[in-house]
Amino acid sequence: MRRPDLFFVGHPRSGSGLLDSFLKGHPDIFMARKELHYFGSDLRYHVPPRGLENYLEHFSKAGDERRVGEASTWSLISERAAPEIRQFATEDVRILIMLREPVSWLHSLHSHLVFTGDEDLSRLPEALDAEDDRKAGRRLPPYSIPACATWYRSHTDYATQVSRYFEAFGRERVKVLILDDLKADAGG
């Protein structure tokens, strides 16, 4: 069974669905279903954690495509995902990162989390004010997955997040895309 060698990491609400659909449509790429969340053990996305056999089963239909990949949002904010992927992956691994302008991204993320029931404070300023309490384990929304989803300001530290992937894989194996650039070029 083939193991993935293409990892699309990023933030939710940053164009990940759009890019995932482009990748799924490419004849040389097999993409598993989105949001497997096998890597990033610090996120505690799956409790208990997804097993390796279960994870690899999602790639069982891969054929002779040039790349086999997966897209899991939240992997970019994880402190452990990059080294976990590095330990798992082949030497020929490639990483795609999609970023979105942070102010519009925060508004979009907050609105989405309110809609899905992962955020119980309906106004973004209130949610931002609650961030320190939430990091300390207080005032947490009852159903937020991952638990750190509502640590909004922390998620905009793009330099630290991207650097973890550069350090783990080298710049030559990491491609950073900007959602606005993708939108501007999508028709061309």
Side-chain angles (χ1 to χ4, degrees), residues 109-121:
L109 176 63
H110 176 260
S111 295
H112 179 72
L113 293 176
V114 168
F115 175 77
T116 61
D118 290 300
E119 170 61 84
D120 59 354
L121 298 174

Side-chain angles (χ1 to χ4, degrees), residues 3-4 13 16 23 31-32 57 69 85 89 118 129 140 144 155:
R3 285 180 167 229
R13 315 301 304 159
S16 60
L23 294 170
M31 290 295 288
E57 180 61 30
I85 294 169
D118 290 300
D129 287 344
L140 295 171
S144 191
H155 303 328

Side-chain angles (χ1 to χ4, degrees), residues 134-150:
R134 289 172 165 180
K135 285 182 177 181
R138 299 182 302 270
R139 298 177 59 193
L140 295 171
Y143 299 109
S144 191
I145 298 174
C148 64
T150 58

